[in-house]
Amino acid sequence: MSDPDCLFCKIVAEEVPAEVVHVTERTVAFRDINPQAPTHVLVVPRDHYENAAALAAGDPAASAELVTAAAAIATAEGHEDYRLVFNTGAGVGQTVFHAHLHVLAGRSMTWPPG
Ligand code: 5GP
Ligand code: ZN
């Protein structure tokens, strides 16, 4: 299940290079090209789903694996505190329509987000 026009499908397929930091059976994690924190990693399902809700409905195991992978990445990079973000919809900043979990850590963060 991949979309030939999708950037993150191409990264999963290794057709577009990325700095991969973690892989599991159902997920791939790589550094964001425009990092917003010292650690900024994107965890994506190998299969194409438009957003986190579609992923949770279509493949709950992969959905859970994203969060497990995110926690492992934060720990591996030495962070006890971290923020996980799923932007869902262009109105809140989603720009790539392949589900991805942002893992942000390594600096203080404000709440609520802007
Ligand atoms: P969104 O705005 O959809 O929640 O997040 C998409 C993220 O993908 C952005 O943080 C953006 O910097 C990142 N991104 C866009 N293009 C690329 C790319 O080609 N490689 C990598 N590693 N990250 C990308
Ligand atoms: Zn995709």
Side-chain angles (χ1 to χ4, degrees):
M1 280 193 291
S2 76
D3 175 340
D5 298 323
C6 170
L7 172 63
F8 289 176
C9 283
K10 290 178 186 165
I11 288 178
V12 169
E14 299 182 8
E15 293 164 14
V16 167
E19 190 182 342
V20 173
V21 297
H22 192 266
V23 294
T24 69
E25 185 184 346
R26 300 177 183 82
T27 73
V28 176
F30 50 89
R31 294 199 192 282
D32 197 292
I33 204 167
N34 182 24
Q36 301 302 312
T39 289
H40 187 175
V41 171
L42 304 172
V43 193
V44 310
R46 291 180 185 273
D47 289 338
H48 182 89
Y49 290 91
E50 185 171 343
N51 58 43
L55 174 65
D59 190 347
S63 185
E65 211 165 293
L66 284 194
V67 179
T68 307
I73 292 158
T75 299
E77 303 214 350
H79 304 297
E80 202 172 319
D81 299 346
Y82 54 91
R83 183 169 290 178
L84 303 183
V85 176
F86 285 114
N87 290 323
T88 302
V92 298
Q94 187 177 5
T95 58
V96 178
F97 290 84
H98 177 132
H100 52 281
L101 179 55
H102 292 260
V103 185
L104 296 148
R107 64 166 171 81
S108 61
M109 295 181 199
T110 56
W111 189 262

